[in-house]
Amino acid sequence: MASDVESGEKAVEEVREFTNTVIANVEKVIVGKRPTIELILIALLCEGHILIEDVPGTGKTMLARAIAISTGLEFKRLQCTPDLLPNDVTGVSIFNQKKREFEFRPGPAFSSILLADEINRATPRTQSALLEAMGEGQVSVDGVTYPLAEPFIVLATQNPIEFEGTFPLPEAQMDRFLLRLSIGYPGIADEDKMMQMQQTGHPIENLKQVVDGTRIPELQYQIRRVHAVENIRQYILNLVHATRGHNGLALGASPRGSLALYRTAQAYAVLHGRDFVIPDDVKHMAVACLAHRMMLNPEKILGGETTADVVRELLKSVEVPMTDA
């Protein structure tokens, strides 16, 4: 029993050391956004994908690049437009005249960190190709299935202000994202620091790899071993089921939402030095995990409410369990 405890503590320390090293390195480029960096690493450790809803110029591309450089993982950026085809995402088979056979040329999906910029500007057909890659960890081209890299994470972005010429993601596709977040504008002090850092050049150019990204599958396994007692699991279920009966919602969170909240709470616990989940872990991850999986009633939309407001309301009303985990 003692050896199991020691093993769990060692695993927690390994994951914490890995993530803290990455965060410290990324903060050389991205100023004042530690919670956002932490959420992206949580998604990476939980084998999930992220939807970033934010205005242009808040550092989405730089954040993805900084994490890729810090971990040594391959990074690709895909600018989504209405004329983007599925093969532009997955790859294409080209006939080699010398060999007299078709050769597969991999697309951007064959990277470890893929930034799909303005995903709602791509057509539904192209969105589906990307979402197959996200959901299955593989792509199919000309009847042949190709496995993707491990780890593989998609950071998809969309502008919450501009909707002209876009193809909004259906609810079923929104549900495939583990987390939805916003980077937001920096504070005055942080923006001043950012200007000073970029006075003679961009710090991304001098950023170096600080961890071995090939260890991430091993760390993902450690996250799954984090303990959550029955009361914690019941708390997660109560929160999710409360969304399904809420009179302000036309659509509640799916079972995928329960699993996402469970897994991310495990990761959040590890990042804060524990090999067990407490209610505060669940509370911290609830909005990012659940809000994008829900749909408001029309009257609530007209009243200016958001699904995030509903999640915060439920966090206040659903009974929090007592646990000695």
Side-chain angles (χ1 to χ4, degrees), residues 34-271:
R34 186 182 181 92
T36 302
I37 302 169
E38 197 173 79
L39 286 175
I40 292 176
L41 291 178
I42 284 173
L44 194 55
L45 291 171
C46 294
E47 305 170 63
H49 308 281
I50 290 183
L51 179 63
I52 305 176
E53 289 190 347
D54 223 328
V55 295
T58 52
K60 299 182 288 290
T61 302
M62 284 300 126
L63 176 55
R65 278 186 63 192
I67 290 175
I69 292 170
S70 299
T71 55
L73 297 174
E74 185 180 6
F75 168 76
K76 291 285 179 67
R77 179 178 180 272
L78 184 67
Q79 182 62 53
C80 297
T81 56
D83 60 352
L84 191 75
L85 299 174
N87 284 349
D88 295 327
V89 177
T90 60
V92 64
S93 294
I94 298 176
F95 187 71
N96 187 319
Q97 292 187 343
K98 288 185 179 180
K99 296 182 179 180
R100 309 290 296 175
E101 62 182 21
F102 283 94
E103 291 182 346
F104 178 64
R105 301 283 179 88
F110 287 84
S111 58
S112 289
I113 299 179
L114 175 61
L115 178 69
D117 215 357
E118 296 186 290
I119 188 173
N120 56 335
R121 291 198 177 277
T123 62
R125 184 181 175 196
T126 303
Q127 290 175 5
S128 295
L130 180 58
L131 288 157
E132 179 202 351
M134 290 166 50
E136 307 297 331
Q138 62 185 31
V139 297
S140 300
V141 180
D142 297 331
V144 180
T145 300
Y146 300 91
L148 299 179
E150 289 186 11
F152 173 63
I153 181 173
V154 172
L155 304 178
T157 75
Q158 60 181 14
N159 187 335
I161 306 300
E162 191 175 348
F163 296 104
E164 187 176 350
T166 63
F167 302 87
L169 291 170
E171 296 305 318
Q173 293 184 357
M174 292 282 284
D175 197 40
R176 291 186 179 275
F177 289 96
L178 183 73
L179 302 174
R180 182 181 66 179
L181 56 88
S182 171
I183 296 175
Y185 291 121
I188 291 178
D190 290 334
E191 198 160 356
D192 179 50
K193 185 178 179 181
M194 183 178 69
M195 288 192 292
Q196 294 178 53
M197 288 167 57
Q198 297 189 31
Q199 184 171 347
T200 58
H202 203 293
I204 194 79
E205 304 301 332
N206 299 316
L207 206 65
K208 306 294 183 185
Q209 180 180 348
V210 291
V211 295
D212 181 7
T214 61
R215 291 188 58 223
I216 290 176
E218 169 197 335
L219 302 181
Q220 290 170 341
Y221 172 73
Q222 299 296 348
I223 295 297
R224 290 179 175 271
R225 296 179 62 192
V226 173
H227 185 56
V229 297
E230 183 180 354
N231 283 352
I232 295 293
R233 298 195 305 273
Q234 192 62 49
Y235 180 47
I236 291 171
L237 292 171
N238 290 344
L239 278 172
V240 174
H241 277 253
T243 68
R244 299 170 192 169
H246 195 281
N247 58 14
L249 295 174
L251 178 70
S254 69
R256 191 183 277 137
S258 304
L259 292 170
L261 187 52
Y262 177 63
R263 187 74 65 231
T264 55
Q266 288 177 303
Y268 187 80
V270 171
L271 264 60

Side-chain angles (χ1 to χ4, degrees), residues 257-293:
S258 304
L259 292 170
L261 187 52
Y262 177 63
R263 187 74 65 231
T264 55
Q266 288 177 303
Y268 187 80
V270 171
L271 264 60
H272 291 80
R274 284 175 278 101
D275 62 353
F276 56 89
V277 180
I278 62 174
D280 282 350
D281 301 328
V282 178
K283 288 181 176 182
H284 186 88
M285 297 306 307
V287 173
C289 265
L290 300 180
H292 63 289
R293 305 173 193 274

